[in-house]
Amino acid sequence: MFTTFLSVMGIGIIIPEIPFIVQKYMPDASNSTIAFNVGMLTSLYSFCQFFAAPGLGALSDKFGRRPILLVCLIGSAIGYLLFGIGGSMTVLFIGRIIDGLTGGDIGTIFAYIGDVTKPEERGKMFGLIGAIVGIGFMIGPSIGGFVSLINLSAPFYLAAILTLINALFGWFVLPESLSHEHRTADFSIHHLNPFRQLTGVLSDITIRTILFIGFFYFLPFSQLQGIAGVYSKDILHWTPANIGIFFFVVGLVDIITQGFLSNKLLAKFGEIKLIVAGLAITGVAYIANALLVIFPLTVLAFAGVIVFAFGSGLIEPALGGLISRAAGPKQQGRVQGANQSLQSLTRMTGPLIAAYLYGIVPNLPYIICAILSLVAVFYVLNKKTFINQHIAAQQAGK
């Protein structure tokens, strides 16, 4: 949890500054060009993560979670440092490439939880991790927004320092979670092939169906992430400090939902019902964001983000628990790596789609997000019985 907190806080610190640091190196660019380059930076990181995450997951199944996590953290620290040094857009892109190629930390953490908890307890644990993520995203952007008043590069140096502290904590404190009997016996270079890893994981129809549900959630979410800073800057005329406060509210609601509510609701309603409810709620939030073009009110922006954070707080622990329960003990790393890789695919394409749609009409990305959420609700309802039956059969040993 502490590792997750430091990792997410490091990510959160840099969020408010990215549109402004891009504008620093492109002072004469239009708003749509700035939005496109912010989207490119976000997508490049995810493009590299898409190729690296399945291989990192497979490596963690063979050699353990701890060494892979440490490599990921050190790579992220180097990426942040390069982004802070900057000097040109090229250096910014190199920093994101390095960070993306070593971006398997969250997937490794989820596999770690799968190693040390019983299947029926994983939803609860993922909820607690989600609350820690909420705290990190609450504190990180707030700190980043205010530290940027010193210098736009200062948050990136701070993120690098925190990530290195995280790596030191992992080196001296974190024990290995994967026992030798659960490690992959056969390992060769083909395990590093992301397409082969994805094909292997997606050959399981239950896991494929659940991951596809996640794809429908993360694609609109990635559009929101890719365009939120630019959208707030152009429509509401916010500064990095304002955006930092915005993410503070996201984190606060996330803590309440994932840390307290989701565990109780999971026990009462189960994962599927929580995912359906969360998708419907986030769809309403996207509509509220779309209305900001017509009603550019700060109160509407905060109402929308509170609703969104509540909905996502229901989805993420339920989805994480469902994925982990569908995977066997020797597959946790690969399945979580594949999940992170598919999330990277959405973060790779989502910001570019959002940037393109933003150039047509600023609120069009949010309208598309609302439609995708509605489609996802019907898809989950259609697959509910199938998923429940297959997971029950697997746990019964059939």
Side-chain angles (χ1 to χ4, degrees):
M1 287 183 180
F2 187 68
T3 300
T4 302
F5 170 70
L6 287 180
S7 180
V8 173
M9 188 165 70
I11 295 169
I13 280 173
I14 72 171
I15 289 174
E17 293 75 40
I18 291 179
F20 298 89
I21 207 164
V22 169
Q23 190 173 41
K24 173 184 174 182
Y25 294 116
M26 304 180 70
D28 300 321
S30 65
N31 287 339
S32 60
T33 303
I34 297 294
F36 176 77
N37 279 274
V38 170
M40 282 293 292
L41 283 168
T42 307
S43 295
L44 183 61
Y45 168 86
S46 300
F47 177 80
C48 295
Q49 192 181 56
F50 170 76
F51 285 98
L56 290 170
L59 286 169
S60 78
D61 281 338
K62 172 63 178 177
F63 299 105
R65 315 300 182 203
R66 187 171 173 271
I68 303 305
L69 184 57
L70 294 177
V71 168
C72 292
L73 292 173
I74 292 170
S76 292
I78 294 170
Y80 291 143
L81 187 62
L82 285 175
F83 212 102
I85 293 170
S88 68
M89 287 297 295
T90 301
V91 177
L92 300 188
F93 281 112
I94 292 172
R96 298 309 279 164
I97 289 171
I98 294 173
D99 200 0
L101 289 175
T102 55
D105 50 347
I106 299 300
T108 305
I109 287 169
F110 271 57
Y112 193 110
I113 294 169
D115 295 336
V116 300
T117 57
K118 297 177 181 177
E120 62 272 15
E121 295 176 349
R122 289 172 192 166
K124 174 184 176 181
M125 290 305 300
F126 289 137
L128 291 174
I129 287 291
I132 297 298
V133 169
I135 295 172
F137 269 120
M138 180 178 70
I139 296 175
S142 304
I143 293 173
F146 288 108
V147 171
S148 69
L149 298 175
I150 302 171
N151 185 285
L152 278 177
S153 296
F156 296 92
Y157 296 134
L158 180 58
I161 291 169
L162 285 173
T163 307
L164 285 174
I165 291 172
N166 196 359
L168 288 171
F169 175 84
W171 179 266
F172 289 107
V173 178
L174 187 72
E176 178 55 60
S177 65
L178 187 63
S179 59
H180 286 280
E181 62 266 24
H182 286 153
R183 297 191 183 188
T184 302
D186 60 322
F187 188 88
S188 61
I189 194 67
H190 77 263
H191 285 90
L192 300 180
N193 183 335
F195 298 105
R196 186 159 183 170
Q197 287 298 317
L198 282 172
T199 301
V201 170
L202 295 178
S203 63
D204 185 309
I205 188 170
T206 310
I207 293 174
R208 182 170 71 239
T209 302
I210 298 170
L211 292 182
F212 193 57
I213 293 170
F215 183 85
F216 264 113
Y217 164 65
F218 286 108
L219 182 60
F221 184 24
S222 67
Q223 290 191 52
L224 180 146
Q225 287 180 316
I227 210 70
V230 177
Y231 193 68
S232 302
K233 170 177 162 292
D234 295 343
I235 304 301
L236 299 173
H237 309 292
W238 282 0
T239 65
N242 296 134
I243 298 171
I245 295 170
F246 184 79
F247 280 99
F248 180 90
V249 174
V250 174
L252 184 62
V253 178
D254 230 12
I255 293 166
I256 296 170
T257 306
Q258 297 202 47
F260 300 100
L261 291 179
S262 65
N263 181 35
K264 295 178 180 178
L265 294 173
L266 273 170
K268 186 173 182 179
F269 298 106
E271 291 100 340
I272 298 291
K273 289 183 179 178
L274 254 63
I275 291 171
V276 170
L279 288 168
I281 291 168
T282 54
V284 171
Y286 291 131
I287 293 171
N289 274 283
L291 290 174
L292 286 173
V293 170
I294 304 171
F295 307 104
L297 304 172
T298 298
V299 66
L300 180 60
F302 277 97
V305 77
I306 289 170
V307 172
F308 177 83
F310 177 70
S312 67
L314 295 179
I315 295 170
E316 292 181 14
L319 187 62
L322 209 59
I323 292 169
S324 188
R325 285 206 295 134
K330 294 185 178 181
Q331 291 182 303
Q332 290 293 325
R334 294 186 193 187
V335 172
Q336 295 296 348
N339 182 37
Q340 190 170 4
S341 185
L342 288 174
Q343 289 182 38
S344 299
L345 182 62
T346 65
R347 288 193 293 268
M348 179 171 60
T349 56
L352 293 178
I353 293 170
Y356 173 76
L357 295 174
Y358 185 85
I360 300 171
V361 179
N363 65 347
L364 187 55
Y366 293 103
I367 296 171
I368 298 300
C369 288
I371 294 170
L372 287 172
S373 297
L374 180 63
V375 171
V377 167
F378 285 107
Y379 180 78
V380 177
L381 290 174
N382 183 52
K383 296 294 183 180
K384 177 177 68 172
T385 304
F386 167 80
I387 293 171
N388 286 332
Q389 288 176 346
H390 278 69
I391 290 182
Q394 177 177 300
Q395 291 183 346
K398 296 179 182 179

